[in-house]
Structures are given as structure tokens and as C-alpha cells.
Amino acid sequence: MSGANGKSNGNGGDRKAHHGQNAHGSALTLPGDPPGGRRAALVWGVGVAVYFVAVIFRTSLGVAGLDAADRFDVNASALSTFSILQLLVYAGMQIPVGLMVDRLGTKKVLALGVVLFTLGQLGFALAPSYGTALAARVLLGCGDAMTFISVLRLGTRWFPARRGPLIAQLAGLIGMAGNLVSTVFIARALHGLGWTTTFVGSSLAGVLVLVLLLLFLKDHPEGYEPQPATHAGAAYVRRQIAESWREPGTRLGMWVHFTTQFPAMVFLLLWGLPYLVEAQGLSRSAAGGLLTLVVLSNMVVGLAYGQIIARHHRARAPLALGTVASTALLWGATLAYPGDHAPMWLLVTLCLVLGACGPASMIGFDFARPANPPERQGTASGIVNMGGFVASMTTLLAVGVLLDATGDNYRIAFSSVFVLEALGVVQILRLKARTHRRERERLVASRVEAVHVPV
């Protein structure tokens, strides 16, 4: 893994650090790396808490889908529009948010995001009509879009590069814990307290993390300020996007994220509960238990993937492709199973495998990170993060339309998953060798330059 982190010296100069790998494939830490430590963990923890709340708000519709259909009197296509519109906004904002993070810093962007997604959750709680509820989900999607890229940037500013894969996976793991809150607590609160009380009450979590953010979050450690960038309006924007996109590692990261994330996202965000209840004949509590299993599997696999990649960088592509293959195999077996309902053991196995999709999508950032210098990390992360959400949005729409067109035939509707997986695998295979070649070239160059950099 290679890249550069600037560290300002006492004279206002800049000393570059380059991160490579040793012969065993593990990352090296050279002068200029942030030190990490307890202070870094505290600051990063505040940022991750914001992301945790954003995921709760994002995924709360996944356990409220049937309630929302009744409350607003809508069909499957209209119900899917909630999530599609939210993800459309999220995906469309990824590059602008990346540019904002690179230019304004993490704290300002995260603060704006908290305000927006909290107002969106509150608006969804009080929405009197379908149109108003849609507007609230758009607002929520805007705020949600500002969180994850900011948290990734925070990690690179506060922790050494060798910890990058693990820190990113931990951020994703804690985000999935937010999903767990939705599947366990939001679902129970909806049936015990009702729609308005549940969503208004949950919005108070946004107020809490905003206070923590304003009090404790800082963009970077003292003495590790990034180099001041010269911003030239539209020219700066075009240059950031073009230079990030030119790197095959950025494009490979986007396609890895595209191919791996969406099967679990579609399942958890909207269609998993209706599928398990209506197509598989499970009770709501049993279906909620399986959704919880996806989240728990995600958390366990995320820790394992982070450790593996931190030690063996060459495992990135095999892990990503292996996850795609396993997901396709289990989806195919579940959808093709003869009879009206798949057996519970198969549904459990499917949910365990779906739990690997989130951690596998994080591998995309491990391709983009070494391909881009610190001043482009936000933009590159935005491009990568856009991939999975475009795929999720497309599949959410396809499933809703196919359900309405086929009289709620989930086998046909969920078969749309295989089309996007096939597209993504083709692109990953096309870009993989080129990315690895560029990484080797960059590693050689960084080692040569490190020899000449005074420590």
C-alpha cells in the first residue's frame, strides 16, 4: 500500500511519508504517519458514533416497510421509492461530499450531515402524507451521505497507514451495529410505541451525537496538518475527480464496492423482511431474527477481513470475489429450492453469507486508498462509495417493479441480483491486473524516495 501523509515541521515546511509493504505483504509505517493512540481512538470514536446513528436512521425503514405501506397506503413499487430516492440522493452526493471533505475538513461536513439526517428522521416521524415522507427521506439521505466518507478521512488523519484496513472495517462494523439497533429495538418499538413515538424518539440520538461532535471532534492531530491546497473553483473540482478516476485502483475499488455491497443492502434496507414473511411464511419475529443474523455475521466477518487484509494485502481480490461467488451460490440455491418455502437451515446459511457483503465492500476502499494521495482521499472514497449504492438503488427498483409485474413472485424479482453481480465481476477482473501493476510501480518509487528522505 502506498500513499503520502504530510506532517508539518516547526518551520511550516512539509515532510512526506510514503507507505509501502515489506516482503511479507504487511504495511510499513514511515516518518510522517499519525501516531494513533488513545486520543485518536476518542476522536475517531466520536465520528463513528455519528455514522452509527446515521445507519440506524437509514435502515429503520427496513423493519418498518410493512408499516409504511399501511400508513401511506402504497404498493410495492411506491414503497421501494422510499429507499430508492434515499439511495439516489446518497449515491449522487458521494463525489460532492468527497470534495467537501477534502476542502472543508471532517468536522464541518459531519456537523452538517448530522443536522440534515436528524431533521429527515424527525420529518419522517411526523409526515402526514406519502409525498412529505419522501421529502423527509431525501433530507435523511443527504445527511447520511456526509458521514461515512468523513469517518474514513478521520481514520486516515489520526491512525498510521498500516492500520487503515482494520480501521475501515471497524467503522463498517460499528455501522452495522446501528443496523442491529434497527432490527432489534426499532422493530420492537414500532409495535409497542407506534410510528410517531418511535421515530421522534430515535431522532434524539442525532441531537446527542451533534453535541459530542461539536465538543470533541478535531480534524487531525496537532502537527499533522495536511498541506494547504489551492482551490480554483470548477478547475479544482474537475482536477480532483479526473485524477482520482484516472487511477485504476479507484475504479477497481468502485466496482468491488458495486458488486459486493448491494445484495445485503437490498435485503436489510427494504426487501428482506417482506420476502421472509410473505414468500417464506415466517413470522415477523423469526424474520427479524434472520435480519439480526445478517448483522451479527457482518460484524464477525468484518473483524476477520480487516485482520487478514492488514497482514496480507494480496488477499483483497480473492476475498471480494469469493464473497460474490458465495452470495450468488446461496441466492441461487434459495430461489431455486423446490417447494413453497426454503428450509430454515438454508435461510440461515444465506443470511450468514449475506453478512460478508458489507465487509467485502470495504475492500474497495483498500484499493483506492493507496492509489491516491491524502489531498484526494475524500474524492476517491466518494467515487468508491457511490458504486455500491448505485447497485443497491438499481436492484431496489428492479425488485419492486418485478414484484408488481409478476404478482409478488419473489423468485423472479430477486433474480435481478445476478445481473448486477455478473457485470461487476467482469469489471473487477478487467481492472485487477492493472491495479496491481500500478501498486508495484508505486511501491518501488516510494522505497527509492524513502532512502533519500531525512528522518
Side-chain angles (χ1 to χ4, degrees):
M1 180 164 60
S2 63
N5 279 330
K7 178 180 178 181
S8 301
N9 60 26
N11 299 322
D14 181 79
R15 181 171 65 184
K16 294 284 185 182
H18 298 267
H19 313 296
Q21 291 180 336
N22 58 26
H24 302 288
S26 59
L28 297 172
T29 301
L30 297 175
D33 245 355
R38 292 183 179 179
R39 177 80 189 283
L42 174 63
V43 174
W44 178 79
V46 172
V48 173
V50 173
Y51 177 56
F52 172 80
V53 174
V55 173
I56 294 175
F57 291 1
R58 179 202 304 170
T59 59
S60 58
L61 183 61
V63 296
L66 297 177
D67 299 88
D70 293 337
R71 180 179 177 86
F72 301 112
D73 191 25
V74 294
N75 61 14
S77 296
L79 181 61
S80 66
T81 303
F82 278 122
S83 296
I84 292 166
L85 192 57
Q86 181 181 332
L87 292 184
L88 177 63
V89 172
Y90 188 106
M93 287 189 64
Q94 288 309 292
I95 293 177
V97 167
L99 291 164
M100 288 172 63
V101 171
D102 285 338
R103 181 166 183 173
L104 302 177
T106 301
K107 186 170 185 175
K108 292 179 181 178
V109 177
L110 268 181
L112 178 59
V114 174
V115 171
L116 291 177
F117 69 60
T118 302
L119 290 175
Q121 185 78 342
L122 184 61
F124 195 58
L126 304 175
S129 65
Y130 176 68
T132 309
L134 280 178
R137 298 305 286 187
V138 168
L139 198 61
L140 194 156
C142 287
D144 185 17
M146 298 180 180
T147 58
F148 189 63
I149 293 176
S150 298
V151 170
L152 287 179
R153 170 68 172 260
L154 201 63
T156 62
R157 290 299 188 196
W158 280 90
F159 291 96
R162 71 179 186 276
R163 299 185 181 272
L166 181 58
I167 292 298
Q169 288 287 355
L170 284 174
L173 183 153
I174 295 171
M176 287 306 294
N179 203 325
L180 187 62
V181 171
S182 292
T183 59
V184 175
F185 297 105
I186 297 291
R188 291 180 180 177
L190 276 169
H191 296 291
L193 301 174
W195 179 282
T196 302
T197 302
T198 297
F199 282 102
V200 170
S202 66
S203 67
L204 296 178
V207 178
L208 174 61
V209 293
L210 178 61
V211 173
L212 293 175
L213 184 156
L214 295 175
L215 290 177
F216 300 111
L217 194 136
K218 188 177 180 182
D219 283 351
H220 46 71
E222 293 181 7
Y224 290 83
E225 294 82 1
Q227 284 184 299
T230 55
H231 304 295
Y236 165 76
V237 171
R238 288 194 298 269
R239 184 174 65 253
Q240 286 285 93
I241 296 173
E243 291 179 356
S244 297
W245 183 256
R246 193 175 296 123
E247 290 290 343
T250 304
R251 300 198 302 277
L252 176 59
M254 185 195 74
W255 282 109
V256 167
H257 201 269
F258 176 100
T259 314
T260 54
Q261 187 204 45
F262 78 94
M265 177 69 73
V266 168
F267 198 78
L268 289 171
L269 196 60
L270 183 60
W271 291 122
L273 187 69
Y275 169 71
L276 294 172
V277 172
E278 297 177 352
Q280 296 299 329
L282 300 182
S283 66
R284 282 198 179 207
S285 61
L290 287 177
L291 294 181
T292 302
L293 184 61
V294 177
V295 177
L296 293 175
S297 172
N298 183 297
M299 298 170 74
V300 173
V301 175
L303 285 175
Y305 278 17
Q307 294 283 1
I308 292 170
I309 295 171
R311 290 174 169 79
H312 308 285
H313 227 50
R314 293 179 181 177
R316 292 171 299 171
L319 283 176
L321 291 171
T323 302
V324 174
S326 300
T327 304
L329 177 64
L330 265 297
W331 260 126
T334 303
L335 296 178
Y337 193 86
D340 293 333
H341 305 309
M344 181 58 74
W345 67 264
L346 184 55
L347 295 176
V348 168
T349 307
L350 171 65
C351 289
L352 288 172
V353 171
L354 285 175
C357 291
S361 72
M362 299 299 299
I363 296 172
F365 299 101
D366 292 318
F367 284 111
R369 189 184 301 113
N372 292 274
E375 61 270 17
R376 284 208 313 266
Q377 288 294 322
T379 306
S381 295
I383 293 172
V384 172
N385 208 29
M386 186 172 63
F389 288 93
V390 168
S392 298
M393 177 184 62
T394 303
T395 309
L396 282 167
L397 176 61
V399 170
V401 170
L402 288 171
L403 284 175
D404 285 338
T406 61
D408 292 338
N409 188 322
Y410 279 92
R411 288 183 174 179
I412 294 176
F414 274 123
S415 295
S416 57
V417 168
F418 304 119
V419 178
L420 271 70
E421 284 189 325
L423 171 63
V425 167
V426 169
Q427 296 298 325
I428 291 171
L429 295 176
R430 185 177 67 87
L431 290 164
K432 183 164 66 75
R434 195 183 314 173
T435 299
H436 289 163
R437 184 169 62 250
R438 287 292 294 271
E439 287 184 349
R440 287 194 299 270
E441 293 170 355
R442 193 175 287 109
L443 176 58
V444 171
S446 69
R447 285 174 172 170
V448 171
E449 186 173 345
V451 172
H452 299 89
V453 174
V455 178

